[in-house]
Amino acid sequence: MRHGVCQGPEEDALGVTLSDIEGARRVIEGSVLRTPMLPAPKLSALTAAEVYVKYENLQVTNSFKDRGALVKLASLNEAERKRGVITMSAGNHGQAVAYHAARLGIPATIVMPVTTPFVKVAATRMHGAEVVLHGESVAEAQARCEQIQAKRNLVLVHPYDDPRIIAGQGTITLEVLEVVPDLDVLVFPVGGGGLIAGNAIAAHAKNPAIEVVGAEAALYPSVWNALRGEDRPIGGPTLAEGIAVKNVGKLTLPIIRELVAEIILVDEAHLERAVNAYLTLQKTMAEGAGAAGLAAMLAKPGRFTGKKVGLVLCGGNIDPRVLASIMVRELERDSRIVSFRLTIPDRPGVLGAIATRIGELGANILEVDHRRLFLDVPAKGAKLDVTIETRDGAHAEEIMAAFAADGYLPVRIEPGAAIE
């Protein structure tokens, strides 16, 4: 990828210009929230960079997709509005199209994969759109979308491969640089490329010194493969379903190739950690795709050390059950929830003594499982699986050492592991 400047003839060659993005800003003014761009000292401490966050999760539909969707819908003529619109979406784009179509009196049909989180499906229906669930991926939903579009003569509002969508998303950077004009790096999640393409054009036109970096889910390295000529496998369940895209945009790819400095692949563990960091450190909700930029910083920390970095928290539509699971998993990773197995004599009072001992050591019991049928202990013995809440990893080690000294032969049970 070439780190270039988008202006003049080069800008025109990319299909979307700064003028288009500034025009899009006028279209959305008063209808789309100008979200806050704020310093994030706790994320700065976590990443060893100076971090600022643009809170697009505060939009009405809780994602940046409001911007491009409104720009596209506002451009339709009366006949197109009467026919109605259709799109395929993993959730956020569908919600934005449904919401703004309802505001403008335009019938909307949204085709979503059956794997779309229920919270996103319910929100889309709440805005009055017809929702069609089809396929396991956005690519499969797209095939169904094209069938319905042809049959009913609907107007396609593509999630990312449309000049007006790209221009609408680029309005984020116009707002960002009015608050923090001297950023070193802007990091954007990458799916089909509409978000990063529009904002790369805006960033390089406004301040050519800014690097634009993309964060792509490691399970869906579509842009990575297209840029590098590689054939990494694509697919699988990801926390970042909002950027789980198999088909790269024909309009967005040349822009990314020209203006984006680097694509960083982020795995599921870093996505989970980033979602948890937004919640626990910033006290704000981020879905997996929304947290991908922070995940990239965690995955490749040396890339950003000491730099002034702008992150776009681009969406907050996460299933509460998934969020709860992430929080517990992060507590386990930090050894603040610990499971271990003790070998104990099977006689009255032992459980009480162990519970008392855990209390003396300052831990809280979450779960106990008393097992008598293991063959590797005497008939009068038993195994006791205990899950406790600790202060930190050092506290957990202190507790394990105490039970070893007491003769209970503690064995740590790692999250997800089974001890036979």
Side-chain angles (χ1 to χ4, degrees):
M1 285 167 285
R2 187 156 59 88
H3 185 69
V5 180
C6 179
Q7 57 186 347
E10 291 183 15
E11 185 183 49
D12 290 337
L14 295 175
V16 176
T17 68
L18 177 62
S19 177
D20 294 328
I21 296 170
E22 290 172 336
R25 187 177 187 182
R26 291 189 291 272
V27 171
I28 67 174
E29 188 174 1
S31 298
V32 172
L33 182 66
R34 179 185 172 122
T35 54
M37 175 73 172
L38 301 173
K42 292 181 180 179
L43 295 185
S44 298
L46 178 67
T47 60
E50 185 180 350
V51 178
Y52 293 77
V53 177
K54 178 73 164 165
Y55 290 91
E56 286 294 289
N57 61 334
L58 298 179
Q59 296 291 357
V60 172
T61 65
N62 303 114
S63 93
F64 76 98
K65 292 286 192 176
D66 277 23
R67 296 173 182 267
L70 178 55
V71 173
K72 176 63 176 179
L73 292 172
S75 74
L76 302 183
N77 61 39
E78 193 58 37
E80 290 171 326
R81 295 186 182 204
K82 188 174 181 180
R83 280 158 49 198
V85 298
I86 189 169
T87 192
M88 65 284 190
S89 170
N92 288 342
H93 175 69
Q95 288 180 66
V97 171
Y99 172 68
H100 289 288
R103 287 181 54 247
L104 299 172
I106 303 171
T109 301
I110 316 295
V111 185
M112 306 174 109
V114 296
T115 54
T116 303
F118 176 76
V119 63
K120 295 185 177 183
V121 176
T124 305
R125 285 185 172 136
M126 181 186 71
H127 296 309
E130 175 189 349
V131 175
V132 177
L133 298 176
H134 180 85
E136 295 291 323
S137 65
V138 174
E140 292 177 11
Q142 180 174 351
R144 181 64 178 145
C145 173
E146 290 169 353
Q147 292 172 357
I148 297 172
Q149 179 195 4
K151 183 178 179 180
R152 293 164 50 182
N153 194 29
L154 302 175
V155 178
L156 177 64
V157 181
H158 199 283
Y160 50 85
D161 219 17
D162 183 293
R164 289 189 172 88
I165 294 290
I166 294 169
Q169 320 307 25
T171 60
I172 293 172
T173 289
L174 298 184
E175 296 175 8
V176 163
L177 296 184
E178 287 175 353
V179 179
V180 192
D182 58 341
L183 290 171
D184 297 312
V185 187
L186 270 167
V187 189
F188 295 95
V190 178
L195 174 65
I196 197 169
N199 285 284
I201 290 170
H204 285 278
K206 286 289 187 179
N207 183 350
I210 294 176
E211 277 192 305
V212 176
V213 172
E216 189 170 38
L219 288 174
Y220 288 82
S222 304
V223 172
W224 175 283
N225 283 346
L227 293 173
R228 294 171 175 257
E230 295 184 13
D231 192 26
R232 294 192 180 209
I234 297 174
T238 176
L239 181 62
E241 78 283 336
I243 54 173
V245 174
K246 294 183 178 181
N247 301 321
V248 180
K250 293 178 181 178
L251 298 179
T252 60
L253 184 60
I255 300 171
I256 295 170
R257 181 177 284 114
E258 179 71 17
L259 300 179
V260 174
E262 182 179 4
I263 298 293
I264 296 174
L265 297 181
V266 292
D267 62 23
E268 296 303 300
H270 284 110
L271 287 167
E272 289 185 23
R273 188 180 172 202
V275 168
N276 184 71
Y278 271 122
L279 184 65
T280 58
L281 300 180
Q282 296 305 111
K283 310 305 178 187
T284 191
M285 198 86 78
E287 60 187 274
L294 177 57
M297 295 188 71
L298 299 175
K300 202 171 181 180
R303 174 73 171 77
F304 303 95
T305 300
K307 294 184 178 180
K308 199 167 188 176
V309 181
L311 296 177
V312 178
L313 199 178
C314 65
N317 291 306
I318 188 169
D319 188 310
R321 179 185 59 80
V322 173
L323 182 60
S325 174
I326 289 170
M327 293 177 68
V328 172
R329 287 161 63 91
E330 286 303 306
L331 290 172
E332 290 175 336
R333 287 190 179 103
D334 292 341
S335 292
R336 292 171 61 192
I337 291 179
V338 176
S339 296
F340 54 89
R341 178 167 290 167
L342 305 177
T343 300
I344 65 172
D346 191 10
R347 63 171 184 258
V350 173
L351 277 176
I354 289 173
T356 299
R357 185 75 169 117
I358 290 172
E360 291 172 349
L361 291 166
N364 182 39
I365 298 175
L366 299 179
E367 188 175 306
V368 175
D369 188 3
H370 199 188
R371 300 168 179 260
R372 289 183 170 84
L373 301 180
F374 284 95
L375 297 179
D376 61 343
V377 293
K380 291 186 178 181
K383 297 285 190 182
L384 187 69
D385 291 355
V386 184
T387 300
I388 60 173
E389 184 180 13
T390 70
R391 292 189 297 272
D392 51 33
H395 188 206
E397 291 302 319
E398 175 189 332
I399 293 166
M400 292 285 286
F403 277 110
D406 292 345
Y408 290 116
L409 307 176
V411 178
R412 181 80 173 262
I413 304 174
E414 296 300 330
I419 297 180
E420 299 299 334

